[in-house]
Amino acid sequence: MRAQSRWGFAAVLAGLVWSATATAQESSANPAFGPGEQSQYRVKYLGVTAGTAQVTVGAPMKQFGEEVWPIIALAKSQDVIGVWPIKDKFVSYWQAAGQRVLGSDLHADENNKRRRQRIKMQPDGKSALVVKQKEGEPPRESTRDLEQGTLDVTGATFALRNRELVVGQDYAYPVFTGSKTFTMRAKVEGREMLNTELGPKEVFKVRVQAEFGGSLTSKRDMFAYFTTDPNHVVVRVEADFALGTMVAEITDYKPGRIMELARAGNDG
């Protein structure tokens, strides 16, 4: 069982994180997140805690010549049977003004083998440059044609957070993982109360259809639980992959600056 496949799930957390890019389907005047936001998760595999994931919206910076917010996902395994040592860092470059992702950087250290991947959206908006490199080998470049409006998993999920979530409504985003393209579909199935380490939370239960392939092929649809407050924070993800059942549960959350300012205005 490949460690990369298992921790592709941590990437799913960062976005619902492998990146491509393009324009989101809807802009938002009141974004659900901002620089400084940080979420911590416990990741369980077959009911046993297998590691942790942290997703942070970083401070504004320049990347590929444009202003972006880096969305940084860190995944780390714990020393348990059947899980290789893993320490991955994935950065997706979110352009808040255009509600799109300009590209991404992956630094993977899995079972003491290192590899890197960079994806950069091309100016035409319909293709992406992909650079992959394994430790000790020369980089390999390729260009992939993409449907207009394609996002990565991170971009699709953060774009979904910015939408007005409505029970019964369907959402769809074309997604590129760096190797595979598919349409990620989400449907808000209802509202419910969910017990979390942060206390009881009212959440939207969202059914998610994705086509990751390989060991991440889903036996059934995934479920993601978004808070019903303006943050739309993902507090739980459930997935039944070919490699086994995985669950991610939030353990800590700090809002970003935009949400803090919004609250201060409401309090006033």
Side-chain angles (χ1 to χ4, degrees):
M1 196 175 296
R2 297 175 60 194
Q4 176 185 344
S5 295
R6 290 181 183 175
W7 285 87
F9 183 71
V12 170
L13 282 181
L16 106 227
V17 208
W18 311 125
S19 181
T21 176
T23 304
Q25 294 184 8
E26 180 177 297
S27 177
S28 175
N30 298 294
F33 58 92
E37 182 186 70
Q38 185 173 93
S39 303
Q40 302 270 3
Y41 297 88
R42 178 192 304 111
V43 181
K44 292 184 177 180
Y45 170 64
L46 298 177
V48 178
T49 298
T52 59
Q54 175 182 292
V55 182
T56 303
V57 181
M61 60 174 285
K62 286 277 190 178
Q63 180 67 314
F64 306 133
E66 299 192 49
E67 189 86 4
V68 299
W69 297 349
I71 301 174
I72 305 156
L74 302 175
K76 185 177 181 180
S77 64
Q78 293 189 359
D79 187 16
V80 296
I81 295 175
V83 177
W84 293 343
I86 297 165
K87 188 176 182 180
D88 289 354
K89 178 180 180 180
F90 180 83
V91 185
S92 185
Y93 301 108
W94 175 262
Q95 187 190 53
Q99 293 286 292
R100 63 192 187 114
V101 179
L102 298 184
S104 66
D105 281 309
L106 166 67
H107 302 265
D109 186 343
E110 299 164 348
N111 199 26
N112 300 314
K113 295 180 181 180
R114 297 177 178 85
R115 62 188 178 90
R116 297 184 63 179
Q117 175 179 282
R118 165 166 283 189
I119 300 175
K120 179 183 178 183
M121 190 64 178
Q122 298 300 283
D124 61 8
K126 298 180 180 179
S127 61
L129 174 67
V130 183
V131 182
K132 299 182 179 182
Q133 184 176 20
K134 294 181 180 179
E135 188 174 32
E137 298 181 9
R140 296 176 291 113
E141 293 188 4
S142 62
T143 301
R144 292 288 300 269
D145 292 332
L146 302 173
E147 177 184 344
Q148 187 74 39
T150 297
L151 288 163
D152 59 10
V153 177
T154 301
T157 303
F158 274 72
L160 184 60
R161 288 181 62 190
N162 275 347
R163 300 289 292 271
E164 180 183 358
L165 299 181
V166 178
V167 174
Q169 188 161 328
D170 295 298
Y171 307 83
Y173 297 93
V175 167
F176 177 52
T177 67
S179 301
K180 183 180 178 64
T181 58
F182 60 88
T183 299
M184 189 177 86
R185 303 182 186 279
K187 181 174 183 177
V188 182
E189 295 212 326
R191 288 175 178 245
E192 61 183 67
M193 294 301 298
L194 186 69
N195 290 323
T196 76
E197 286 201 14
L198 308 183
K201 298 290 183 183
E202 184 183 45
V203 296
F204 289 112
K205 182 179 181 180
V206 180
R207 180 186 294 270
V208 180
Q209 296 178 334
E211 302 171 17
F212 294 107
S215 296
L216 287 179
T217 300
S218 297
K219 291 184 178 180
R220 61 181 178 88
D221 294 339
M222 300 170 57
F223 287 95
Y225 298 82
F226 296 73
T227 58
T228 59
D229 61 30
N231 303 65
H232 286 167
V233 179
V234 178
V235 295
R236 182 180 174 91
V237 180
E238 304 168 353
D240 190 5
F241 296 126
L243 58 82
T245 300
M246 290 189 177
V247 176
E249 303 167 314
I250 198 164
T251 57
D252 192 28
Y253 175 74
K254 297 180 176 63
R257 292 199 297 268
I258 286 179
M259 296 308 299
E260 288 175 346
L261 289 173
R263 289 195 189 92
N266 291 334
D267 292 343

PDB file of all heavy atoms in Angstrom, residues 1-9 12 45 84 180 211-220 222 239-246:
ATOM      1  N   MET A   1       0.853  -1.193   0.000  1.00  0.00           N
ATOM      2  CA  MET A   1       0.000   0.000   0.000  1.00  0.00           C
ATOM      3  C   MET A   1       0.885   1.238   0.000  1.00  0.00           C
ATOM      4  O   MET A   1       1.743   1.390   0.833  1.00  0.00           O
ATOM      5  CB  MET A   1      -0.884  -0.023   1.237  1.00  0.00           C
ATOM      6  CG  MET A   1      -2.049   0.919   1.171  1.00  0.00           C
ATOM      7  SD  MET A   1      -3.099   0.684   2.611  1.00  0.00           S
ATOM      8  CE  MET A   1      -3.627  -0.998   2.338  1.00  0.00           C
ATOM      9  N   ARG A   2       0.718   2.122  -0.944  1.00  0.00           N
ATOM     10  CA  ARG A   2       1.638   3.234  -1.126  1.00  0.00           C
ATOM     11  C   ARG A   2       1.340   4.365  -0.150  1.00  0.00           C
ATOM     12  O   ARG A   2       0.205   4.801   0.011  1.00  0.00           O
ATOM     13  CB  ARG A   2       1.538   3.768  -2.547  1.00  0.00           C
ATOM     14  CG  ARG A   2       1.946   2.756  -3.590  1.00  0.00           C
ATOM     15  CD  ARG A   2       1.719   3.307  -4.967  1.00  0.00           C
ATOM     16  NE  ARG A   2       2.493   4.511  -5.159  1.00  0.00           N
ATOM     17  CZ  ARG A   2       2.276   5.349  -6.179  1.00  0.00           C
ATOM     18  NH1 ARG A   2       1.315   5.127  -7.031  1.00  0.00           N
ATOM     19  NH2 ARG A   2       3.036   6.427  -6.309  1.00  0.00           N
ATOM     20  N   ALA A   3       2.405   4.870   0.487  1.00  0.00           N
ATOM     21  CA  ALA A   3       2.230   5.993   1.406  1.00  0.00           C
ATOM     22  C   ALA A   3       1.707   7.204   0.670  1.00  0.00           C
ATOM     23  O   ALA A   3       0.900   7.958   1.182  1.00  0.00           O
ATOM     24  CB  ALA A   3       3.566   6.323   2.072  1.00  0.00           C
ATOM     25  N   GLN A   4       2.182   7.416  -0.541  1.00  0.00           N
ATOM     26  CA  GLN A   4       1.730   8.577  -1.307  1.00  0.00           C
ATOM     27  C   GLN A   4       0.213   8.536  -1.466  1.00  0.00           C
ATOM     28  O   GLN A   4      -0.470   9.551  -1.374  1.00  0.00           O
ATOM     29  CB  GLN A   4       2.395   8.581  -2.681  1.00  0.00           C
ATOM     30  CG  GLN A   4       1.893   9.714  -3.566  1.00  0.00           C
ATOM     31  CD  GLN A   4       2.459   9.633  -4.962  1.00  0.00           C
ATOM     32  OE1 GLN A   4       3.423   8.927  -5.200  1.00  0.00           O
ATOM     33  NE2 GLN A   4       1.841  10.353  -5.874  1.00  0.00           N
ATOM     34  N   SER A   5      -0.324   7.330  -1.729  1.00  0.00           N
ATOM     35  CA  SER A   5      -1.765   7.218  -1.898  1.00  0.00           C
ATOM     36  C   SER A   5      -2.493   7.561  -0.611  1.00  0.00           C
ATOM     37  O   SER A   5      -3.498   8.249  -0.615  1.00  0.00           O
ATOM     38  CB  SER A   5      -2.114   5.792  -2.340  1.00  0.00           C
ATOM     39  OG  SER A   5      -1.576   5.516  -3.601  1.00  0.00           O
ATOM     40  N   ARG A   6      -1.971   7.060   0.512  1.00  0.00           N
ATOM     41  CA  ARG A   6      -2.620   7.361   1.774  1.00  0.00           C
ATOM     42  C   ARG A   6      -2.641   8.856   2.026  1.00  0.00           C
ATOM     43  O   ARG A   6      -3.625   9.415   2.455  1.00  0.00           O
ATOM     44  CB  ARG A   6      -1.892   6.664   2.931  1.00  0.00           C
ATOM     45  CG  ARG A   6      -2.067   5.169   2.929  1.00  0.00           C
ATOM     46  CD  ARG A   6      -1.353   4.560   4.101  1.00  0.00           C
ATOM     47  NE  ARG A   6      -1.461   3.107   4.039  1.00  0.00           N
ATOM     48  CZ  ARG A   6      -0.850   2.293   4.879  1.00  0.00           C
ATOM     49  NH1 ARG A   6      -0.082   2.782   5.832  1.00  0.00           N
ATOM     50  NH2 ARG A   6      -0.982   0.996   4.778  1.00  0.00           N
ATOM     51  N   TRP A   7      -1.525   9.488   1.755  1.00  0.00           N
ATOM     52  CA  TRP A   7      -1.448  10.901   2.124  1.00  0.00           C
ATOM     53  C   TRP A   7      -1.894  11.822   1.024  1.00  0.00           C
ATOM     54  O   TRP A   7      -1.909  13.021   1.166  1.00  0.00           O
ATOM     55  CB  TRP A   7      -0.055  11.198   2.674  1.00  0.00           C
ATOM     56  CG  TRP A   7      -0.022  10.624   4.035  1.00  0.00           C
ATOM     57  CD1 TRP A   7       0.311   9.347   4.385  1.00  0.00           C
ATOM     58  CD2 TRP A   7      -0.454  11.244   5.225  1.00  0.00           C
ATOM     59  NE1 TRP A   7       0.125   9.140   5.723  1.00  0.00           N
ATOM     60  CE2 TRP A   7      -0.331  10.295   6.268  1.00  0.00           C
ATOM     61  CE3 TRP A   7      -0.929  12.508   5.542  1.00  0.00           C
ATOM     62  CZ2 TRP A   7      -0.672  10.567   7.584  1.00  0.00           C
ATOM     63  CZ3 TRP A   7      -1.244  12.779   6.845  1.00  0.00           C
ATOM     64  CH2 TRP A   7      -1.122  11.811   7.853  1.00  0.00           C
ATOM     65  N   GLY A   8      -2.337  11.215  -0.090  1.00  0.00           N
ATOM     66  CA  GLY A   8      -3.127  12.000  -1.007  1.00  0.00           C
ATOM     67  C   GLY A   8      -4.374  12.478  -0.289  1.00  0.00           C
ATOM     68  O   GLY A   8      -4.944  13.499  -0.606  1.00  0.00           O
ATOM     69  N   PHE A   9      -4.802  11.730   0.732  1.00  0.00           N
ATOM     70  CA  PHE A   9      -5.966  12.111   1.526  1.00  0.00           C
ATOM     71  C   PHE A   9      -5.707  13.396   2.297  1.00  0.00           C
ATOM     72  O   PHE A   9      -6.594  14.227   2.448  1.00  0.00           O
ATOM     73  CB  PHE A   9      -6.319  10.973   2.482  1.00  0.00           C
ATOM     74  CG  PHE A   9      -7.551  11.245   3.290  1.00  0.00           C
ATOM     75  CD1 PHE A   9      -8.790  11.246   2.684  1.00  0.00           C
ATOM     76  CD2 PHE A   9      -7.470  11.497   4.647  1.00  0.00           C
ATOM     77  CE1 PHE A   9      -9.940  11.489   3.430  1.00  0.00           C
ATOM     78  CE2 PHE A   9      -8.608  11.733   5.388  1.00  0.00           C
ATOM     79  CZ  PHE A   9      -9.838  11.730   4.777  1.00  0.00           C
ATOM     80  N   VAL A  12      -6.382  15.998   0.070  1.00  0.00           N
ATOM     81  CA  VAL A  12      -7.815  16.239  -0.032  1.00  0.00           C
ATOM     82  C   VAL A  12      -8.260  17.229   1.040  1.00  0.00           C
ATOM     83  O   VAL A  12      -9.079  18.102   0.809  1.00  0.00           O
ATOM     84  CB  VAL A  12      -8.594  14.912   0.120  1.00  0.00           C
ATOM     85  CG1 VAL A  12     -10.081  15.159   0.250  1.00  0.00           C
ATOM     86  CG2 VAL A  12      -8.311  14.005  -1.072  1.00  0.00           C
ATOM     87  N   TYR A  45      -6.768   6.234  10.012  1.00  0.00           N
ATOM     88  CA  TYR A  45      -6.795   5.226   8.967  1.00  0.00           C
ATOM     89  C   TYR A  45      -7.248   3.918   9.599  1.00  0.00           C
ATOM     90  O   TYR A  45      -6.633   3.447  10.558  1.00  0.00           O
ATOM     91  CB  TYR A  45      -5.408   5.077   8.337  1.00  0.00           C
ATOM     92  CG  TYR A  45      -5.269   3.907   7.403  1.00  0.00           C
ATOM     93  CD1 TYR A  45      -6.008   3.844   6.230  1.00  0.00           C
ATOM     94  CD2 TYR A  45      -4.401   2.855   7.695  1.00  0.00           C
ATOM     95  CE1 TYR A  45      -5.888   2.770   5.372  1.00  0.00           C
ATOM     96  CE2 TYR A  45      -4.271   1.779   6.834  1.00  0.00           C
ATOM     97  CZ  TYR A  45      -5.018   1.744   5.674  1.00  0.00           C
ATOM     98  OH  TYR A  45      -4.902   0.669   4.827  1.00  0.00           O
ATOM     99  N   TRP A  84       4.224   4.458   6.437  1.00  0.00           N
ATOM    100  CA  TRP A  84       5.604   4.878   6.217  1.00  0.00           C
ATOM    101  C   TRP A  84       5.817   6.282   6.783  1.00  0.00           C
ATOM    102  O   TRP A  84       4.872   7.066   6.908  1.00  0.00           O
ATOM    103  CB  TRP A  84       5.918   4.892   4.723  1.00  0.00           C
ATOM    104  CG  TRP A  84       5.927   3.533   4.099  1.00  0.00           C
ATOM    105  CD1 TRP A  84       6.019   2.332   4.751  1.00  0.00           C
ATOM    106  CD2 TRP A  84       5.837   3.235   2.709  1.00  0.00           C
ATOM    107  NE1 TRP A  84       5.993   1.307   3.854  1.00  0.00           N
ATOM    108  CE2 TRP A  84       5.889   1.822   2.587  1.00  0.00           C
ATOM    109  CE3 TRP A  84       5.729   4.008   1.561  1.00  0.00           C
ATOM    110  CZ2 TRP A  84       5.838   1.175   1.363  1.00  0.00           C
ATOM    111  CZ3 TRP A  84       5.682   3.366   0.332  1.00  0.00           C
ATOM    112  CH2 TRP A  84       5.739   1.973   0.235  1.00  0.00           C
ATOM    113  N   LYS A 180      -4.064  13.899 -13.437  1.00  0.00           N
ATOM    114  CA  LYS A 180      -5.412  13.488 -13.845  1.00  0.00           C
ATOM    115  C   LYS A 180      -6.361  14.672 -13.817  1.00  0.00           C
ATOM    116  O   LYS A 180      -6.241  15.553 -12.973  1.00  0.00           O
ATOM    117  CB  LYS A 180      -5.900  12.392 -12.889  1.00  0.00           C
ATOM    118  CG  LYS A 180      -7.252  11.791 -13.207  1.00  0.00           C
ATOM    119  CD  LYS A 180      -7.595  10.724 -12.186  1.00  0.00           C
ATOM    120  CE  LYS A 180      -8.980  10.110 -12.447  1.00  0.00           C
ATOM    121  NZ  LYS A 180      -9.050   9.386 -13.715  1.00  0.00           N
ATOM    122  N   GLU A 211     -12.662  11.618  -8.643  1.00  0.00           N
ATOM    123  CA  GLU A 211     -12.129  10.481  -9.394  1.00  0.00           C
ATOM    124  C   GLU A 211     -10.605  10.488  -9.292  1.00  0.00           C
ATOM    125  O   GLU A 211      -9.902  10.745 -10.262  1.00  0.00           O
ATOM    126  CB  GLU A 211     -12.562  10.561 -10.853  1.00  0.00           C
ATOM    127  CG  GLU A 211     -14.073  10.591 -11.046  1.00  0.00           C
ATOM    128  CD  GLU A 211     -14.469  10.881 -12.477  1.00  0.00           C
ATOM    129  OE1 GLU A 211     -13.605  10.733 -13.380  1.00  0.00           O
ATOM    130  OE2 GLU A 211     -15.629  11.272 -12.694  1.00  0.00           O
ATOM    131  N   PHE A 212     -10.090  10.170  -8.101  1.00  0.00           N
ATOM    132  CA  PHE A 212      -8.647  10.214  -7.914  1.00  0.00           C
ATOM    133  C   PHE A 212      -7.940   9.040  -8.586  1.00  0.00           C
ATOM    134  O   PHE A 212      -6.828   9.154  -9.056  1.00  0.00           O
ATOM    135  CB  PHE A 212      -8.309  10.233  -6.419  1.00  0.00           C
ATOM    136  CG  PHE A 212      -8.777  11.492  -5.728  1.00  0.00           C
ATOM    137  CD1 PHE A 212      -9.865  11.460  -4.871  1.00  0.00           C
ATOM    138  CD2 PHE A 212      -8.141  12.698  -5.953  1.00  0.00           C
ATOM    139  CE1 PHE A 212     -10.298  12.617  -4.236  1.00  0.00           C
ATOM    140  CE2 PHE A 212      -8.567  13.860  -5.331  1.00  0.00           C
ATOM    141  CZ  PHE A 212      -9.650  13.818  -4.474  1.00  0.00           C
ATOM    142  N   GLY A 213      -8.547   7.859  -8.606  1.00  0.00           N
ATOM    143  CA  GLY A 213      -7.951   6.700  -9.246  1.00  0.00           C
ATOM    144  C   GLY A 213      -6.959   5.978  -8.353  1.00  0.00           C
ATOM    145  O   GLY A 213      -6.565   6.456  -7.288  1.00  0.00           O
ATOM    146  N   GLY A 214      -6.531   4.783  -8.772  1.00  0.00           N
ATOM    147  CA  GLY A 214      -5.555   4.000  -8.029  1.00  0.00           C
ATOM    148  C   GLY A 214      -6.079   3.624  -6.662  1.00  0.00           C
ATOM    149  O   GLY A 214      -7.254   3.299  -6.474  1.00  0.00           O
ATOM    150  N   SER A 215      -5.181   3.675  -5.660  1.00  0.00           N
ATOM    151  CA  SER A 215      -5.574   3.317  -4.290  1.00  0.00           C
ATOM    152  C   SER A 215      -6.546   4.317  -3.692  1.00  0.00           C
ATOM    153  O   SER A 215      -7.166   4.049  -2.661  1.00  0.00           O
ATOM    154  CB  SER A 215      -4.327   3.212  -3.404  1.00  0.00           C
ATOM    155  OG  SER A 215      -3.501   2.153  -3.845  1.00  0.00           O
ATOM    156  N   LEU A 216      -6.667   5.511  -4.311  1.00  0.00           N
ATOM    157  CA  LEU A 216      -7.613   6.510  -3.819  1.00  0.00           C
ATOM    158  C   LEU A 216      -8.958   6.441  -4.541  1.00  0.00           C
ATOM    159  O   LEU A 216      -9.787   7.336  -4.410  1.00  0.00           O
ATOM    160  CB  LEU A 216      -7.020   7.913  -3.960  1.00  0.00           C
ATOM    161  CG  LEU A 216      -5.911   8.262  -2.968  1.00  0.00           C
ATOM    162  CD1 LEU A 216      -5.396   9.667  -3.221  1.00  0.00           C
ATOM    163  CD2 LEU A 216      -6.387   8.122  -1.533  1.00  0.00           C
ATOM    164  N   THR A 217      -9.172   5.357  -5.316  1.00  0.00           N
ATOM    165  CA  THR A 217     -10.479   5.148  -5.915  1.00  0.00           C
ATOM    166  C   THR A 217     -11.511   4.976  -4.800  1.00  0.00           C
ATOM    167  O   THR A 217     -11.314   4.198  -3.871  1.00  0.00           O
ATOM    168  CB  THR A 217     -10.482   3.892  -6.802  1.00  0.00           C
ATOM    169  OG1 THR A 217      -9.517   4.057  -7.846  1.00  0.00           O
ATOM    170  CG2 THR A 217     -11.853   3.662  -7.420  1.00  0.00           C
ATOM    171  N   SER A 218     -12.597   5.713  -4.888  1.00  0.00           N
ATOM    172  CA  SER A 218     -13.599   5.688  -3.827  1.00  0.00           C
ATOM    173  C   SER A 218     -14.542   4.509  -3.994  1.00  0.00           C
ATOM    174  O   SER A 218     -15.022   4.231  -5.092  1.00  0.00           O
ATOM    175  CB  SER A 218     -14.410   6.990  -3.833  1.00  0.00           C
ATOM    176  OG  SER A 218     -13.588   8.100  -3.555  1.00  0.00           O
ATOM    177  N   LYS A 219     -14.806   3.820  -2.879  1.00  0.00           N
ATOM    178  CA  LYS A 219     -15.824   2.781  -2.875  1.00  0.00           C
ATOM    179  C   LYS A 219     -17.207   3.407  -2.814  1.00  0.00           C
ATOM    180  O   LYS A 219     -18.196   2.809  -3.230  1.00  0.00           O
ATOM    181  CB  LYS A 219     -15.616   1.851  -1.680  1.00  0.00           C
ATOM    182  CG  LYS A 219     -14.369   0.979  -1.780  1.00  0.00           C
ATOM    183  CD  LYS A 219     -14.307   0.024  -0.599  1.00  0.00           C
ATOM    184  CE  LYS A 219     -13.098  -0.896  -0.702  1.00  0.00           C
ATOM    185  NZ  LYS A 219     -13.031  -1.838   0.461  1.00  0.00           N
ATOM    186  N   ARG A 220     -17.284   4.595  -2.252  1.00  0.00           N
ATOM    187  CA  ARG A 220     -18.529   5.355  -2.195  1.00  0.00           C
ATOM    188  C   ARG A 220     -18.158   6.824  -2.211  1.00  0.00           C
ATOM    189  O   ARG A 220     -16.979   7.188  -2.165  1.00  0.00           O
ATOM    190  CB  ARG A 220     -19.319   5.014  -0.935  1.00  0.00           C
ATOM    191  CG  ARG A 220     -18.601   5.335   0.366  1.00  0.00           C
ATOM    192  CD  ARG A 220     -19.435   4.940   1.571  1.00  0.00           C
ATOM    193  NE  ARG A 220     -18.747   5.188   2.839  1.00  0.00           N
ATOM    194  CZ  ARG A 220     -18.780   6.324   3.512  1.00  0.00           C
ATOM    195  NH1 ARG A 220     -19.455   7.359   3.018  1.00  0.00           N
ATOM    196  NH2 ARG A 220     -18.143   6.460   4.656  1.00  0.00           N
ATOM    197  N   MET A 222     -17.428  10.564  -1.021  1.00  0.00           N
ATOM    198  CA  MET A 222     -16.882  11.152   0.194  1.00  0.00           C
ATOM    199  C   MET A 222     -17.930  12.074   0.824  1.00  0.00           C
ATOM    200  O   MET A 222     -18.859  12.529   0.153  1.00  0.00           O
ATOM    201  CB  MET A 222     -15.621  11.963  -0.130  1.00  0.00           C
ATOM    202  CG  MET A 222     -14.505  11.165  -0.761  1.00  0.00           C
ATOM    203  SD  MET A 222     -13.179  12.227  -1.364  1.00  0.00           S
ATOM    204  CE  MET A 222     -12.725  13.102   0.134  1.00  0.00           C
ATOM    205  N   ALA A 239     -13.936   9.281   4.031  1.00  0.00           N
ATOM    206  CA  ALA A 239     -13.717   8.685   2.715  1.00  0.00           C
ATOM    207  C   ALA A 239     -13.460   7.198   2.858  1.00  0.00           C
ATOM    208  O   ALA A 239     -12.749   6.758   3.754  1.00  0.00           O
ATOM    209  CB  ALA A 239     -12.540   9.355   2.009  1.00  0.00           C
ATOM    210  N   ASP A 240     -14.067   6.422   1.960  1.00  0.00           N
ATOM    211  CA  ASP A 240     -13.879   4.975   1.940  1.00  0.00           C
ATOM    212  C   ASP A 240     -13.181   4.634   0.629  1.00  0.00           C
ATOM    213  O   ASP A 240     -13.817   4.399  -0.392  1.00  0.00           O
ATOM    214  CB  ASP A 240     -15.238   4.275   2.038  1.00  0.00           C
ATOM    215  CG  ASP A 240     -15.105   2.783   2.266  1.00  0.00           C
ATOM    216  OD1 ASP A 240     -13.965   2.317   2.442  1.00  0.00           O
ATOM    217  OD2 ASP A 240     -16.129   2.085   2.249  1.00  0.00           O
ATOM    218  N   PHE A 241     -11.837   4.632   0.656  1.00  0.00           N
ATOM    219  CA  PHE A 241     -11.048   4.375  -0.527  1.00  0.00           C
ATOM    220  C   PHE A 241     -10.780   2.880  -0.685  1.00  0.00           C
ATOM    221  O   PHE A 241     -11.026   2.080   0.223  1.00  0.00           O
ATOM    222  CB  PHE A 241      -9.697   5.108  -0.447  1.00  0.00           C
ATOM    223  CG  PHE A 241      -9.817   6.604  -0.421  1.00  0.00           C
ATOM    224  CD1 PHE A 241      -9.213   7.332   0.591  1.00  0.00           C
ATOM    225  CD2 PHE A 241     -10.506   7.287  -1.397  1.00  0.00           C
ATOM    226  CE1 PHE A 241      -9.291   8.718   0.623  1.00  0.00           C
ATOM    227  CE2 PHE A 241     -10.605   8.668  -1.378  1.00  0.00           C
ATOM    228  CZ  PHE A 241      -9.990   9.388  -0.364  1.00  0.00           C
ATOM    229  N   ALA A 242     -10.229   2.511  -1.838  1.00  0.00           N
ATOM    230  CA  ALA A 242      -9.843   1.122  -2.075  1.00  0.00           C
ATOM    231  C   ALA A 242      -8.822   0.663  -1.038  1.00  0.00           C
ATOM    232  O   ALA A 242      -8.783  -0.505  -0.656  1.00  0.00           O
ATOM    233  CB  ALA A 242      -9.292   0.967  -3.488  1.00  0.00           C
ATOM    234  N   LEU A 243      -7.980   1.603  -0.551  1.00  0.00           N
ATOM    235  CA  LEU A 243      -6.942   1.239   0.415  1.00  0.00           C
ATOM    236  C   LEU A 243      -7.457   1.184   1.840  1.00  0.00           C
ATOM    237  O   LEU A 243      -6.761   0.742   2.740  1.00  0.00           O
ATOM    238  CB  LEU A 243      -5.762   2.209   0.325  1.00  0.00           C
ATOM    239  CG  LEU A 243      -6.039   3.711   0.555  1.00  0.00           C
ATOM    240  CD1 LEU A 243      -6.094   4.044   2.020  1.00  0.00           C
ATOM    241  CD2 LEU A 243      -4.974   4.540  -0.126  1.00  0.00           C
ATOM    242  N   GLY A 244      -8.690   1.610   2.067  1.00  0.00           N
ATOM    243  CA  GLY A 244      -9.254   1.572   3.410  1.00  0.00           C
ATOM    244  C   GLY A 244      -9.980   2.863   3.761  1.00  0.00           C
ATOM    245  O   GLY A 244      -9.960   3.839   3.013  1.00  0.00           O
ATOM    246  N   THR A 245     -10.622   2.858   4.918  1.00  0.00           N
ATOM    247  CA  THR A 245     -11.409   4.006   5.368  1.00  0.00           C
ATOM    248  C   THR A 245     -10.525   5.023   6.077  1.00  0.00           C
ATOM    249  O   THR A 245      -9.711   4.664   6.922  1.00  0.00           O
ATOM    250  CB  THR A 245     -12.513   3.547   6.328  1.00  0.00           C
ATOM    251  OG1 THR A 245     -13.360   2.625   5.643  1.00  0.00           O
ATOM    252  CG2 THR A 245     -13.341   4.733   6.810  1.00  0.00           C
ATOM    253  N   MET A 246     -10.717   6.300   5.703  1.00  0.00           N
ATOM    254  CA  MET A 246      -9.985   7.389   6.340  1.00  0.00           C
ATOM    255  C   MET A 246     -10.960   8.454   6.817  1.00  0.00           C
ATOM    256  O   MET A 246     -11.953   8.739   6.158  1.00  0.00           O
ATOM    257  CB  MET A 246      -8.986   8.013   5.365  1.00  0.00           C
ATOM    258  CG  MET A 246      -7.825   7.120   5.029  1.00  0.00           C
ATOM    259  SD  MET A 246      -6.552   8.011   4.086  1.00  0.00           S
ATOM    260  CE  MET A 246      -5.326   6.718   3.936  1.00  0.00           C
TER     261      MET A 246
END
